Amino acid sequence: MKSKLQQTLEKKSKVITAELMPPRGGSPLRSLKIAQLLKDKVHAVNITDGSRAVMRMCSLAMSKLLLENGIEPIMQISCRDRNKIALQSDILGANALGIKNILCITGDSVKAGDQQDVKAVHEFESVRLLQQIKNFKEGIDPTFQELPDKKTVIFSGAAADPGCRNQISLKNRMKRKKDAGAQFIQTQMVMKKENLFMWGPIAIAFICMMYSVGLGLSGMTQEAQYSAHWPGTILLFTIAINQLKRQ
């Protein structure tokens, strides 16, 4: 069964999410009290994974605790602190525990944290992590041809920073994430009007693309072919308008 987040996005309805940091200690009670304030007010709650390179309870445990309390989590997985095998194990573990939403991130630099002697791993980064989840969803084993204990059911997402100064690099990386299997995108909060205007067409184009894919998967091939040009047309018009503004 699909997650509530995936179902809502596929209906093209408005989605509201929140973010919760796990506790810095062994008791989840304070974090769960905060999470209860969000219950039935948001579609899902992001559970951070070592945000800002600061020690906290693992996102896997906190995500499972939210599920047990009737709150849908978006489990973040950072590539900074684990090698490939550990990341693969966490994905499979999340799937087994009923955690369906995973946000793939590379992770903040360890220099941002409060333990300066920590060593980063970074065997994977977010694009390779997305590809790994995609492989698991297709039943592909990292070593053998197929997973012996069934494929996974994960709704995988990617992160983006609308405030990034190098927009060309950002767009190229977002394309790589989409090609690697990203099914949804979450950004940092958009505080500047110009960033909102810049990302609006990209968001619309992404929705149109998913709409066209959905038509194709449902057997409506003619409608899918008709709508397939919409994303490119939207982006081309956006580029043309931006060029005219610069002249």
Side-chain angles (χ1 to χ4, degrees), residues 229-241:
H229 69 279
W230 293 354
T233 302
I234 292 168
L235 293 178
L236 282 173
F237 270 110
T238 304
I239 292 169
I241 291 168

Side-chain angles (χ1 to χ4, degrees), residues 3-221:
S3 69
K4 182 165 66 175
L5 175 67
Q6 183 175 1
Q7 292 177 40
T8 307
L9 284 171
E10 288 180 350
K11 291 176 183 175
K12 299 176 178 58
S13 301
K14 181 172 68 175
V15 172
I16 301 174
T17 62
E19 185 172 278
L20 178 69
M21 287 191 296
R24 190 179 171 106
S27 173
L29 294 179
R30 188 164 65 90
S31 294
L32 287 174
K33 286 181 180 178
I34 296 171
Q36 286 295 335
L37 299 174
L38 300 168
K39 189 173 182 178
D40 300 325
K41 295 180 176 63
V42 298
H43 293 92
V45 176
N46 279 67
I47 304 299
T48 59
D49 183 23
S51 179
R52 306 301 298 166
V54 172
M55 176 207 71
R56 289 185 180 273
M57 184 182 291
C58 69
S59 59
L60 179 62
M62 197 66 213
S63 294
K64 177 58 176 174
L65 288 168
L66 255 64
L67 267 183
E68 292 175 349
N69 284 268
I71 303 168
E72 182 165 300
I74 302 173
M75 174 182 160
Q76 293 187 8
I77 298 185
S78 165
C79 300
R80 182 192 59 233
D81 306 320
R82 306 168 181 82
N83 67 14
K84 178 166 61 175
I85 295 175
L87 290 167
Q88 291 165 345
S89 298
D90 279 354
I91 296 165
L92 297 177
N95 185 81
L97 293 172
I99 299 165
K100 293 183 169 64
N101 308 311
I102 292 181
L103 184 74
C104 300
I105 57 175
T106 299
D108 299 316
S109 168
V110 293
K111 298 300 181 183
D114 55 3
Q115 300 185 63
Q116 295 296 306
D117 59 336
V118 171
K119 294 181 179 180
V121 179
H122 286 306
E123 188 172 357
F124 269 11
E125 40 73 48
S126 58
V127 174
R128 291 185 65 191
L129 183 59
L130 284 161
Q131 183 64 59
Q132 180 61 78
I133 293 178
K134 183 180 179 182
N135 288 344
F136 280 163
K137 288 163 63 177
E138 294 173 356
I140 301 172
D141 188 281
T143 305
F144 306 104
Q145 288 188 342
E146 61 181 68
L147 292 169
D149 296 307
K150 297 185 179 181
K151 60 185 179 181
T152 61
V153 184
I154 297 291
F155 188 51
S156 55
D161 180 10
C164 178
R165 292 184 178 180
N166 190 338
Q167 292 298 314
I168 295 175
S169 174
L170 179 62
K171 289 176 182 178
N172 289 337
R173 186 157 178 80
M174 292 313 302
K175 184 181 184 303
R176 288 179 59 208
K177 290 181 178 182
K178 179 179 74 68
D179 293 342
Q183 295 169 277
F184 69 96
I185 296 170
Q186 286 188 303
T187 71
Q188 302 291 344
M189 292 179 64
V190 180
M191 306 299 289
K192 294 183 178 180
K193 181 174 64 175
E194 54 268 29
N195 285 342
L196 184 61
F197 290 151
M198 178 188 68
W199 275 80
I202 296 173
I204 294 170
F206 185 80
I207 292 169
C208 290
M209 180 194 70
M210 296 305 294
Y211 174 70
S212 180
V213 170
L215 288 173
L217 291 174
S218 62
M220 303 171 69
T221 54

